[in-house]
Amino acid sequence: MKQNKVFARFDISKDDVAAIQEFGRALGDGMQQFVQDWYQWLQQQEEYDTYFDRRPDTLERVQSLQIDHWHSFFECELDEHYIMSRRKIGGIHEHIQLPNDAYCAGMNMAAKLLKQSIRELAPDLETASRWADATSKLINLDTYLALDEITRIQTEKIRAQSNALMEVSTPVTPIWEGILLLPLLGIIDSARTQYIMNTTLEKISTTRTQVFVMDISGVSAVDTAVANQLIKITKATELMGCKSIISGISPAIARTLVELGISVGDLQTTSTLRDAFEIAIRHIDPNNSMLSKSDSH
């Protein structure tokens, strides 16, 4: 099972579980003093006033939760529930934006206090070594699970922010009956081109678009990979029966495409968005009165 792999990775054996449980029984009522000593240390840290509540009733409640936490540590029932309870701690710390170094310092102090208890309670050096080694392994696991959850949540937030930014920076917009415009700005990478491809094809399918105009006048740089990706997007749109036009081909981009030896094939390109718009309208309605008036000037 997945959780068994986690415990095995931290080299936590059945003997370690037994050693932790032995230590827990020996600690007994000393658990209360251990938690109080830890909170005494915590109150001296600079983060305490920012992230923790000094009200006596709140402190008493949180200390009670801490005692429950360490009871579960020494019961050492290593299962999915144990893993999730440690990940939940990471989620709480991420929610209050507790710095990782503050959390790791707290776990380090807990380990230090427990080692002190081991020296006082163990009947011999061999037992003290077994208890200390097993306790250290489980504290390391607890620390990892909390930090891993923090990383997971932060990664999801970054991904969500990135997707939101992608949507804003890649607006596929109907600008005329049957015409879809995509103005591109900034840097184009593989992730963004894949998003452009999916969004554009979906939009074409739902709007029954006849002409797709992709304006790259705002693209900061075009290299071989970017050019090939953009061409792939236009070819995919044409497979759906939609004419594609790339506008905003500047002299610099034109030179780059030639120097890189990139062939655009039969793809329609223009230097300005206006030219692309006129071609698109003519494709949809060759007799459009707007084009007749424009051509007469």
Side-chain angles (χ1 to χ4, degrees):
M1 295 175 69
K2 186 176 180 180
Q3 62 263 28
N4 290 337
K5 290 183 179 180
V6 174
F7 303 133
R9 185 176 290 273
F10 283 80
D11 194 29
I12 300 174
S13 66
K14 291 181 178 179
D15 289 340
D16 291 319
V17 170
I20 292 169
Q21 291 170 341
E22 282 179 30
F23 177 28
R25 288 192 293 271
L27 185 60
D29 294 338
M31 181 88 68
Q32 184 81 31
Q33 186 61 51
F34 158 65
V35 171
Q36 288 179 0
D37 290 345
W38 187 84
Y39 266 93
Q40 185 176 358
W41 166 85
L42 179 63
Q43 290 172 3
Q44 298 171 5
Q45 307 309 303
E46 59 181 351
E47 292 87 2
Y48 187 81
D49 288 331
T50 303
Y51 298 100
F52 300 95
D53 193 335
R54 283 188 177 274
R55 289 180 302 177
D57 58 331
T58 302
L59 184 61
E60 184 178 344
R61 179 177 58 83
V62 173
Q63 284 186 351
S64 176
L65 291 173
Q66 275 286 324
I67 291 174
D68 290 342
H69 168 87
W70 287 104
H71 272 306
S72 110
F73 179 93
F74 286 110
E75 287 169 0
C76 210
E77 294 182 6
L78 303 184
D79 53 16
E80 187 65 25
H81 176 73
Y82 186 93
I83 291 176
M84 294 307 298
S85 68
R86 270 45 186 175
R87 286 191 173 278
K88 184 178 179 180
I89 292 171
I92 293 171
H93 288 167
E94 200 285 330
H95 178 71
I96 66 174
Q97 297 294 291
L98 180 73
N100 287 346
D101 63 337
Y103 168 66
C104 290
M107 292 300 286
N108 182 66
M109 177 51 62
K112 182 178 179 180
L113 292 171
L114 289 175
K115 284 180 181 178
Q116 182 177 326
S117 295
I118 288 172
R119 287 194 294 270
E120 296 171 355
L121 296 171
D124 51 60
L125 289 177
E126 181 184 350
T127 301
S129 177
R130 284 193 306 106
W131 288 1
D133 185 51
T135 301
S136 177
K137 289 179 183 180
L138 194 53
I139 285 179
N140 287 340
L141 174 61
D142 282 10
T143 304
Y144 157 73
L145 290 171
L147 292 178
D148 188 58
E149 183 66 10
I150 291 170
T151 301
R152 185 191 68 79
I153 294 172
Q154 291 176 342
T155 300
E156 285 187 356
K157 286 183 176 180
I158 292 171
R159 185 180 295 115
Q161 291 168 354
S162 177
N163 289 340
L165 181 61
M166 195 94 72
E167 291 179 9
V168 172
S169 62
T170 313
V172 184
T173 310
I175 58 169
W176 197 268
E177 184 67 31
I179 302 175
L180 206 58
L181 171 65
L182 172 59
L184 293 178
L185 301 171
I187 297 172
I188 307 296
D189 57 19
S190 58
R192 192 175 178 195
T193 52
Q194 187 60 50
Y195 178 84
I196 292 169
M197 173 86 78
N198 295 338
T199 303
T200 300
L201 297 181
E202 181 66 27
K203 202 79 171 182
I204 289 171
S205 175
T206 56
T207 61
R208 301 177 67 181
T209 300
Q210 298 178 50
V211 183
F212 170 61
V213 179
M214 182 163 54
D215 184 71
I216 64 171
S217 57
V219 174
S220 56
V222 174
D223 57 17
T224 305
V226 170
N228 285 329
Q229 288 292 337
L230 295 180
I231 290 171
K232 283 182 180 179
I233 292 171
T234 59
K235 287 183 177 180
T237 63
E238 290 178 349
L239 286 174
M240 297 185 70
C242 179
K243 178 178 177 61
S244 292
I245 306 170
I246 295 183
S247 67
I249 302 291
S250 66
I253 290 178
R255 280 196 303 272
T256 299
L257 294 178
V258 171
E259 290 170 0
L260 294 174
I262 296 172
S263 173
V264 297
D266 298 329
L267 180 63
Q268 181 91 55
T269 61
T270 68
S271 60
T272 68
L273 181 57
R274 175 177 176 173
D275 291 339
F277 189 44
E278 289 182 355
I279 293 170
I281 293 177
R282 188 175 288 113
H283 179 79
I284 294 174
D285 183 5
N287 301 316
N288 190 285
S289 58
M290 282 183 58
L291 294 177
S292 300
K293 291 176 181 178
S294 175
D295 292 341
S296 66
H297 288 295

